[in-house]
């Protein structure tokens, strides 16, 4: 099939400010794997992993039954990619589930066999998009708008109307990019085990009657362990205006008003 776009342009990776990990750089890592966590008509959450020397990795390896995936000299870095998409991508992005939909309790969660073909299909699909940075938190969170690359749009238009002239195809690329499925993207990289656990499929609900004794014995120590572990330091940094300064609307002596990262309709 004829392509109006050079191979150099087709391999172009959208630029992000220095130091910020973007989706294409994550997907371009060696031994990259993509697993589906949750997929609906409007949203998809993908777990991306790749191996690195042990000094760079985070936590233990991703679900896999291949004993050669991980060695004593390597660890796995995991990232979460959350997409807001159109329904016709649902089958592709849900083709390599990490967990069985029948799992209903944590001890019964069984990781499924890695489907390399499905994973490679998702990687190829996502690499066909250009990701434009919208905002970033200064930590592991960043937000993008994804549109089909120029090469993908031109090639698809040529396949649909090969009799059209090059100029006609090029003039339709902008409109086609929207029609072929642009979407919003949230990238968490690297993602820790707590972030990944929260993105896993829901296990349903359990009703617990909490007594004062139960709170003091179990709940309060758990809350204190989170505080002592430092995982809430990001809140302190925001309140003290050490982070996310670009999102502050009001900075008062007693409070601040900040733009939520999920407030998509607020202008940049």
């Amino acid at each position: 099939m004829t392509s109006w776009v050079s191979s150099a342009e087709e391999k172009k990776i959208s630029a992000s400010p220095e130091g910020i990990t973007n989706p294409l750089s994550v997907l371009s890592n060696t031994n990259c794997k993509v697993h589906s966590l949750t997929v609906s008509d409007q949203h998809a959450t993908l777990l991306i992993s790749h191996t690195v020397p042990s000094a760079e990795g985070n936590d233990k390896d991703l679900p896999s039954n291949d004993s050669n995936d991980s060695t004593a000299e390597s660890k796995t870095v995991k990232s979460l990619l959350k997409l807001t998409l159109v329904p016709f991508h649902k089958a592709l992005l849900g083709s390599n589930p990490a967990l069985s939909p029948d799992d209903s309790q944590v001890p019964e969660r069984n990781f499924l066999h890695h489907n390399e073909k499905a994973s490679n299909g998702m990687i190829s699909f996502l690499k066909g998009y250009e990701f434009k940075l919208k905002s970033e938190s200064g930590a592991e969170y960043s937000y993008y708008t994804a549109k089909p690359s120029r090469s993908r749009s031109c090639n698809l238009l040529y396949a649909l109307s090969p009799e059209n002239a090059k100029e006609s195809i090029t003039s339709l690329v902008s409109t086609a990019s929207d029609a072929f499925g642009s979407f919003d993207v949230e990238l968490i990289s690297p993602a820790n085990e707590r972030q990944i656990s929260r993105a896993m499929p829901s296990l349903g609900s359990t009703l617990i009657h909490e007594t004062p004794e139960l709170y003091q014995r179990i709940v309060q120590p758990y809350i204190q362990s989170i505080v002592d572990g430092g995982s809430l330091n990001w809140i302190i940094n925001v309140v003290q205006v050490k982070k996310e300064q670009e999102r502050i609307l009001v900075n008062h002596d007693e409070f601040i008003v900040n733009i939520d990262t999920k407030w998509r309709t607020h202008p940049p």
Side-chain angles (χ1 to χ4, degrees), residues 40-62:
S40 69
D41 286 346
Q42 288 80 37
H43 301 90
T45 300
L46 307 178
L47 181 59
I48 306 173
S49 69
H50 66 277
T51 55
V52 296
S54 57
E56 302 176 28
N58 68 315
D59 300 311
K60 55 188 178 181
D61 206 351
L62 181 78

Side-chain angles (χ1 to χ4, degrees), residues 97-131:
L99 297 171
S100 167
D102 296 330
D103 294 330
S104 58
Q105 299 296 329
V106 173
E108 299 171 0
R109 274 185 162 169
N110 297 314
F111 289 124
L112 301 178
H113 288 276
H114 174 62
N115 186 331
E116 184 176 359
K117 181 178 180 181
S119 176
N120 290 339
M122 287 191 280
I123 292 173
S124 177
F125 168 78
L126 293 168
K127 280 187 173 181
Y129 282 76
E130 294 177 352
F131 296 82

Side-chain angles (χ1 to χ4, degrees), residues 50-240:
H50 66 277
T51 55
V52 296
S54 57
E56 302 176 28
N58 68 315
D59 300 311
K60 55 188 178 181
D61 206 351
L62 181 78
S64 175
N65 292 304
D66 187 347
S67 59
N68 296 323
D69 283 345
S70 144
T71 68
E73 292 76 29
S74 66
K75 287 188 177 181
T76 297
V77 173
K78 306 170 190 176
S79 304
L80 289 171
L81 197 63
K82 301 180 180 181
L83 314 175
T84 302
L85 65 161
V86 290
F88 54 75
H89 298 316
K90 180 178 178 180
L92 172 66
L93 296 176
S95 60
N96 190 28
L99 297 171
S100 167
D102 296 330
D103 294 330
S104 58
Q105 299 296 329
V106 173
E108 299 171 0
R109 274 185 162 169
N110 297 314
F111 289 124
L112 301 178
H113 288 276
H114 174 62
N115 186 331
E116 184 176 359
K117 181 178 180 181
S119 176
N120 290 339
M122 287 191 280
I123 292 173
S124 177
F125 168 78
L126 293 168
K127 280 187 173 181
Y129 282 76
E130 294 177 352
F131 296 82
K132 181 179 179 181
L133 181 69
K134 296 196 300 183
S135 65
E136 53 88 20
S137 67
E140 65 270 31
Y141 295 87
S142 52
Y143 304 86
Y144 297 82
T145 297
K147 289 190 175 183
S149 65
R150 181 182 176 86
S151 60
R152 170 172 284 185
S153 299
C154 284
N155 290 340
L156 183 52
L157 283 169
Y158 183 84
L160 296 174
S161 297
E163 70 279 2
N164 285 352
K166 174 181 177 180
E167 292 75 14
S168 299
I169 292 176
T170 303
S171 67
L172 291 173
V173 168
S174 179
T175 302
S177 293
D178 293 330
F180 296 156
S182 299
F183 45 80
D184 292 324
V185 178
E186 176 184 353
L187 174 67
I188 305 176
S189 183
N192 58 43
E193 290 301 319
R194 182 169 177 268
Q195 292 164 330
I196 294 172
S197 177
R198 291 174 62 184
M200 288 289 186
S202 173
L203 296 176
S205 59
T206 302
L207 181 63
I208 297 176
H209 177 66
E210 183 181 87
T211 63
E213 186 274 333
L214 186 62
Y215 175 82
Q216 294 175 3
R217 183 169 56 88
I218 296 177
V219 179
Q220 190 175 39
Y222 174 73
I223 295 175
Q224 192 61 47
S225 70
I226 295 176
V227 175
D228 295 342
S231 61
L232 300 181
N233 286 346
W234 68 273
I235 299 178
I236 298 174
N237 289 332
V238 171
V239 172
Q240 294 179 349

Side-chain angles (χ1 to χ4, degrees), residues 16-32:
S16 292
E18 185 177 357
I20 297 177
T21 302
N22 66 62
L24 290 181
S25 67
V26 173
L27 292 164
S28 298
N29 282 301
T30 305
N31 300 322
C32 182

